[in-house]
């Protein structure tokens, strides 16, 4: 019903594959592929061309995948596809845009300790995964300075090829014609070697430690308590989703009711159970409290964690947690683009296409005994 077409690509790459002395390479490669233009057009010329068509082309590389997309009017799909293909196949990596990107990354490094929550989050991840882990390490001035144009070219050459990419299209088009257009746009693109290393493994040891970071210009504590999380394909994933809603889920969670409302100990209090597709997430409870109530807040949160491991939750808590999850389920279908993107993600990580539906069905089946088992 709208004369628009969106084409999105998923590339098997990511910052997990960058060398430890060049952290930031993947991200800068993803940015400058687009801003640095192609062999035939500068990034600024591409901007002007796309603006005239009311179209956009984006690229980027995250932790464990790269993406590229074009959004364009139906009548301009040929031009839009040719720009997308040109950016993916022939990025010029112009030096001025590399320097600009490096400057922006350094500016983020300079500001990263302004926010206490950001510090706590970052350092907690290092304790879980290890400071050198691809899941916790971060850019430094030296790693950004060490990145050269040749590094970007080599990174692109290693990962970007037609056999290492998935493409999805949604919008107003005829499938046969669209396949022909895509084949024409990407014609002659050489394949890449697919012998990629496996994703980095997480070696985690359960041991008790207390870790402090001093920041003298604030009069509050940011507290994180927790350990490793799990994978989305763990059998207990669904029970743990429900458990987390009961323990730390917003205004109805036990942490909010007891640590914030009843004890009045925290400005904010939260519980998070995260799981990822290809590596374990983290589990933590946390809060922001005034400095002098730090120990009291820690004890109050630990008490809630212990309590959820010792006895079954109530019928009311279980029903409320499930309702909360199921009532927000509809927002998974806001847009066609969102649905296509999710299907690509499942395919990319080797999950069944109906994983979201299975999650809904399995959450509905969770019992009080399941929550207790998962918590334990």
């Amino acid at each position: 019903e709208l004369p628009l077409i969106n084409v999105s690509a998923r590339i098997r790459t990511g910052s997990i594959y960058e060398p430890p002395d060049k952290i930031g390479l993947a991200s800068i490669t993803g940015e400058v592929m687009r801003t640095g233009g192609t062999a035939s057009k500068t990034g600024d010329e591409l901007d002007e061309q796309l603006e005239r068509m009311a179209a956009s082309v984006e690229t980027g590389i995250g932790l464990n995948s790269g993406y590229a997309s074009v959004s364009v009017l139906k009548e301009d799909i040929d031009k839009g596809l040719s720009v997308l293909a040109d950016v993916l196949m022939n990025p010029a990596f112009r030096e001025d845009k590399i320097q600009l990107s490096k400057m922006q990354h350094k500016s983020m490094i300079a500001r990263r300790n302004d926010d206490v929550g950001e510090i706590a989050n970052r350092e907690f991840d290092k304790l879980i995964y290890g400071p050198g882990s691809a899941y916790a390490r971060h850019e430094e001035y030296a790693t950004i300075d060490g990145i050269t144009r040749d590094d970007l070219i080599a990174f692109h050459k290693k990962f970007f090829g037609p056999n290492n990419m998935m493409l999805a299209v949604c919008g107003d088009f005829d499938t046969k014609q669209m396949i022909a257009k895509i084949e024409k746009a990407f014609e002659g693109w050489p394949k890449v070697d697919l012998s990629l290393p496996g994703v980095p493994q997480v070696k985690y040891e359960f041991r008790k430690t207390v870790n402090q970071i001093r920041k003298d210009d604030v009069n509050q504590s940011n507290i994180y308590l927790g350990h490793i999380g799990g994978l989305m394909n763990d059998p207990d994933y669904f029970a743990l989703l429900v458990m987390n809603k009961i323990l730390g889920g917003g205004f109805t969670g036990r942490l909010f009711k007891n640590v914030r409302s009843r004890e009045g100990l925290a400005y904010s209090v939260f519980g998070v159970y995260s799981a990822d597709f290809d590596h374990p997430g983290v589990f933590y409870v946390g809060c922001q409290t005034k400095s002098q109530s730090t120990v009291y807040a820690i004890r109050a949160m630990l008490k809630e964690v212990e309590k959820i491991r010792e006895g079954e939750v109530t019928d009311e808590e279980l029903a409320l947690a499930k309702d909360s999850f199921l009532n927000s389920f509809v927002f998974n279908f806001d847009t066609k683009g969102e649905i296509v993107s999710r299907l690509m993600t499942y395919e990319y990580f080797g999950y069944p296409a109906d994983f979201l539906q299975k999650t809904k069905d399995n959450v509905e089946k969770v019992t009080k005994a399941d929550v207790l088992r998962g918590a334990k």
Side-chain angles (χ1 to χ4, degrees), residues 5 69 270:
I5 298 176
S69 67
F270 40 86

Side-chain angles (χ1 to χ4, degrees), residues 279-294:
H279 67 278
V282 292
F283 164 73
Y284 59 87
V285 295
C287 73
Q288 293 173 301
T289 188
K290 51 186 188 288
S291 299
Q292 58 267 42
S293 54
T294 303

Side-chain angles (χ1 to χ4, degrees), residues 65-355:
S65 69
Y67 70 87
S69 67
V70 58
S71 174
V72 67
L73 285 162
K74 182 182 182 177
E75 64 197 54
D76 294 321
I77 184 61
D78 292 327
K79 289 184 206 159
L81 264 177
S82 77
V83 174
L84 178 70
D86 201 17
V87 164
L88 282 167
M89 292 158 68
N90 312 302
F93 295 120
R94 289 179 171 80
E95 192 62 53
D96 61 328
K97 297 296 185 186
I98 295 173
Q99 292 309 321
L100 178 63
S101 179
K102 285 168 85 165
M103 203 165 74
Q104 288 166 339
H105 279 252
K106 286 181 176 181
S107 163
M108 288 191 287
I109 293 171
R111 294 198 308 270
R112 73 180 173 206
N113 288 341
D114 294 352
D115 181 328
V116 238
E118 202 180 318
I119 299 172
N121 215 338
R122 184 182 73 223
E123 297 303 317
F124 184 76
D125 279 352
K126 283 196 220 167
L127 292 168
I128 299 295
Y129 298 112
S133 164
Y135 306 118
R137 63 190 184 185
H138 48 74
E139 299 167 1
E140 300 291 1
Y141 293 123
T143 69
I144 298 295
D145 284 336
I147 295 166
T148 65
R149 181 172 180 267
D150 286 346
D151 293 325
L152 272 70
I153 292 167
F155 195 86
H156 171 267
K157 192 178 174 186
K158 182 173 183 179
F159 295 102
F160 283 77
N163 55 330
N164 198 33
M165 182 175 91
M166 297 160 60
L167 209 62
V169 192
C170 72
D172 181 9
F173 61 87
D174 171 85
T175 302
K176 265 189 183 164
Q177 285 176 2
M178 181 54 70
I179 290 170
K181 287 178 192 293
I182 289 167
E183 283 173 346
K184 186 179 171 216
F186 289 96
E187 208 171 12
W189 193 15
K191 291 184 174 183
V192 290
D193 175 16
L194 284 184
S195 54
L196 293 179
V199 298
Q201 292 304 297
V202 177
K203 294 185 179 78
Y204 182 79
E205 212 182 300
F206 283 91
R207 59 196 176 93
K208 285 189 178 182
T209 65
V210 177
N211 308 272
Q212 293 170 304
I213 300 159
R214 284 189 72 87
K215 189 162 166 58
D216 296 329
D217 56 349
V218 290
N219 60 355
Q220 68 176 51
S221 294
N222 262 55
I223 306 163
Y224 277 56
L225 307 164
H227 50 68
I228 197 95
L231 288 159
M232 285 188 178
N233 56 12
D234 288 346
D236 278 331
Y237 172 62
F238 315 104
L240 288 164
L241 282 181
V242 176
M243 184 280 298
N244 188 62
K245 284 267 182 210
I246 295 167
L247 181 65
F251 300 122
T252 57
R254 289 180 177 184
L255 287 169
F256 188 92
K257 280 184 189 166
N258 297 329
V259 180
R260 187 177 186 271
S261 302
R262 197 180 69 211
E263 301 276 5
L265 280 170
Y267 320 121
S268 74
V269 61
F270 40 86
V272 173
Y273 173 78
S274 74
D276 218 301
F277 290 100
D278 62 350
H279 67 278
V282 292
F283 164 73
Y284 59 87
V285 295
C287 73
Q288 293 173 301
T289 188
K290 51 186 188 288
S291 299
Q292 58 267 42
S293 54
T294 303
V295 174
Y296 199 39
I298 289 171
R299 285 182 180 147
M301 288 192 294
L302 277 173
K303 192 172 156 189
E304 294 306 326
V305 172
E306 282 156 13
K307 196 170 139 194
I308 206 156
R309 291 175 65 236
E310 285 164 1
E312 288 190 351
V313 299
T314 65
D315 291 329
E316 188 189 4
E317 284 177 316
L318 184 71
L320 198 59
K322 285 187 185 183
D323 285 349
S324 164
F325 177 84
L326 298 168
N327 291 341
S328 61
F329 189 75
V330 64
F331 298 115
N332 291 301
F333 305 93
D334 286 351
T335 64
K336 294 273 199 303
E338 195 180 355
I339 296 166
V340 170
S341 170
R342 184 168 56 244
L343 288 171
M344 281 180 93
T345 301
Y346 291 158
E347 175 75 20
Y348 182 86
F349 289 109
Y351 279 62
D354 63 348
F355 182 71

